[in-house]
Amino acid sequence: MQLWQEMEQEGMEELLFCHDPSSGLKAVVAIHSTALGPALGGCRCWAYASEEDAIRDAMQLARGMTYKSAVSGLPYGGGKAVVWNIPTEWKVNTSPAQPKSQASSSFPIKNVVDSDSSSHQLTIPNTNTGRAHIFRALGRFLERLNGRYITGLDLGTTSTDMDQIRLETSYVTDMTGSLGAQDDFTAEMTAYGVYTGIVTSLSHQGIATLQGIPIAVQGLGKVGYALCRHLHAAGARLIVADVVPERVQRALLQFSGATSADPAHIHAADCKVFAPCALGGVLTPASVEELRCSIVAGAANNQLSHRELVVRRLQARGILYAPDYVLNAGGIISTAYELEGAGPDLIRQKVAGIAGTLSKVYAIAAQSALSTADAADQLAVAVLQSGNPHA
């Protein structure tokens, strides 16, 4: 791995490698940008094939958080923490929650939750002394950053983990008792933002209603399942897939008229909208040729594998791509406004603003003959260069 070269390619400000022998902590903190404010992004605990994979994931996700905040008009940068090599005996199968906090520093404390879009059964450290020591150790490393990075929930972590980090630093959010931790609120807001983006994308193609529109949803985790509820209520005809059969059966029972598909091939379903809501990288040079939709709009992060090639083929095939970090920004938007004292109703209104952001991206793409992916990047870069999130 050419570390400096990859940092330059991703535009990273800083990588912090964390090792605490007494607890066994091994982690990396990636700070992509603090141009608009403190770097915000969740703490991920995942079984990576290699340390290089963990570092790359942290950098790519941190960059995505920077762009997500910028296009959403939020005064945040992007960061991500990744913890790996958690001992097997400290793991249980469960689903991540979501939560929030505050403190004073050179940066105002805010918080962020990356969308829980995975449809996979996650392996998460159980609540015990060993795990607690690992996350407390991470908290000590974060404290030394003095507010440059603020962490929160992500895949494989829980509000209990955030509680442990909070014992060592105030630069953490999503602790027990926050709005985001209650009843999957953050996942619901992420799903609502994606739903809003799907409606906007259909409208862009001259379709005013979801009634009878076939939509394929890949991944029935918290966000994917909540998205299905919105789509079904609006009359869409659902095609669903997940690697966990019980989730599929639940969806078929709850959403009348829904049908199932093979998780590995749902991208090729005959539908109007393909909504990837599992892990990233689903749009590959091979899979994009098999798409039978006219819109790709989902909650998954980093959907484009081999970005330039995939983007060109989507354009050539006339498939409208809704940039993932525009669409799935509901989590960070809800977090930001909760910290300003907003309640659920106002937060929902703010998340609905994703429709306007996406329409702006589509307008830039049309006016400048750009792909929608490049148009979103252009919008984000313009905000970052201005130093004003409201530019």
Side-chain angles (χ1 to χ4, degrees):
M1 181 179 188
Q2 300 296 317
L3 189 57
W4 296 108
Q5 181 179 337
E6 295 198 28
M7 285 185 69
E8 184 176 0
Q9 288 174 349
E10 294 292 344
M12 300 298 301
E13 285 186 11
E14 182 175 353
L15 279 178
L16 173 66
F17 293 90
C18 309
H19 178 226
D20 180 63
S22 64
S23 67
L25 170 71
K26 290 184 179 179
V28 60
V29 176
I31 297 177
H32 178 264
S33 173
T34 55
L36 300 178
L40 297 178
C43 175
R44 177 165 293 198
C45 184
W46 194 254
Y48 292 94
S50 68
E51 294 177 357
E52 288 81 3
D53 287 348
I55 295 166
R56 287 193 181 98
D57 198 34
M59 289 195 294
Q60 291 172 0
L61 291 167
R63 179 181 182 275
M65 293 308 298
T66 294
Y67 280 43
K68 189 181 300 189
S69 293
V71 298
S72 301
L74 302 174
Y76 309 130
K80 186 68 63 171
V82 164
V83 177
W84 72 91
N85 282 356
I86 292 285
T88 302
E89 64 270 21
W90 297 349
K91 300 179 181 179
V92 294
N93 286 327
T94 181
S95 298
Q98 342 267 70
K100 277 121 213 139
S101 169
Q102 218 159 307
S104 62
S105 73
S106 55
F107 285 123
I109 277 286
K110 310 265 175 156
N111 70 315
V112 62
V113 179
D114 202 8
S115 68
D116 167 25
S117 55
S118 174
S119 68
H120 294 266
Q121 191 74 0
L122 298 178
T123 301
I124 298 178
N126 197 0
T127 304
N128 55 41
T129 302
R131 185 178 94 180
H133 285 171
I134 282 179
F135 284 96
R136 286 195 68 167
L138 179 61
R140 291 192 289 273
F141 280 99
L142 300 186
E143 176 68 14
R144 296 171 199 167
L145 290 172
N146 195 34
R148 280 176 52 76
Y149 168 65
I150 303 161
T151 198
L153 284 169
D154 201 286
L155 297 179
T157 54
T158 69
S159 56
T160 301
D161 299 326
M162 302 304 109
D163 293 342
Q164 294 300 319
I165 292 174
R166 184 62 181 85
L167 294 174
E168 301 291 345
T169 184
S170 57
Y171 305 120
V172 59
T173 182
D174 298 339
M175 287 86 66
T176 300
S178 66
L179 178 61
Q182 299 170 12
D183 301 321
D184 300 330
F185 181 76
T186 303
E188 291 285 346
M189 289 298 96
T190 302
Y192 179 62
V194 175
Y195 167 76
T196 299
I198 289 174
V199 171
T200 302
S201 299
L202 287 167
S203 177
H204 186 74
Q205 292 191 341
I207 300 172
T209 178
L210 271 71
Q211 189 67 42
I213 299 296
I215 300 179
V217 179
Q218 180 190 47
L220 299 174
K222 291 182 181 180
V223 174
Y225 204 89
L227 174 61
C228 286
R229 285 201 301 271
H230 288 296
L231 295 171
H232 181 260
R237 180 166 61 84
L238 293 174
I239 305 166
V240 298
D242 195 286
V243 296
V244 180
E246 292 79 9
R247 293 177 178 178
V248 175
Q249 291 305 312
R250 178 186 174 206
L252 295 178
L253 287 172
Q254 181 169 352
F255 308 124
S256 59
T259 58
S260 63
D262 183 338
H265 298 101
I266 189 172
H267 64 276
D270 187 5
C271 59
K272 187 67 178 177
V273 180
F274 170 50
C277 296
L279 294 178
V282 66
L283 297 176
T284 67
S287 67
V288 76
E289 300 299 337
E290 299 173 341
L291 293 174
R292 299 168 68 191
C293 60
S294 65
I295 296 170
V296 175
N301 286 307
N302 299 324
Q303 295 171 19
L304 305 176
S305 172
H306 302 87
R307 172 184 162 130
E308 296 306 320
L309 177 58
V310 169
V311 165
R312 285 199 303 270
R313 289 305 299 155
L314 287 170
Q315 280 187 291
R317 298 196 60 208
I319 298 172
L320 181 65
Y321 171 64
D324 48 33
Y325 63 79
V326 176
L327 219 59
N328 65 19
I332 191 173
I333 293 171
S334 65
T335 296
Y337 284 97
E338 183 192 356
L339 288 175
E340 294 181 8
D345 291 341
L346 178 58
I347 289 172
R348 187 181 178 90
Q349 292 177 26
K350 296 299 183 180
V351 172
I354 287 173
T357 303
L358 188 59
S359 293
K360 185 183 297 185
V361 168
Y362 289 159
I364 293 171
Q367 293 164 6
S368 305
L370 295 172
S371 70
T372 54
D374 288 340
D377 285 357
Q378 184 181 96
L379 178 60
V381 169
V383 172
L384 289 167
Q385 290 178 342
S386 74
N388 179 6
H390 306 295

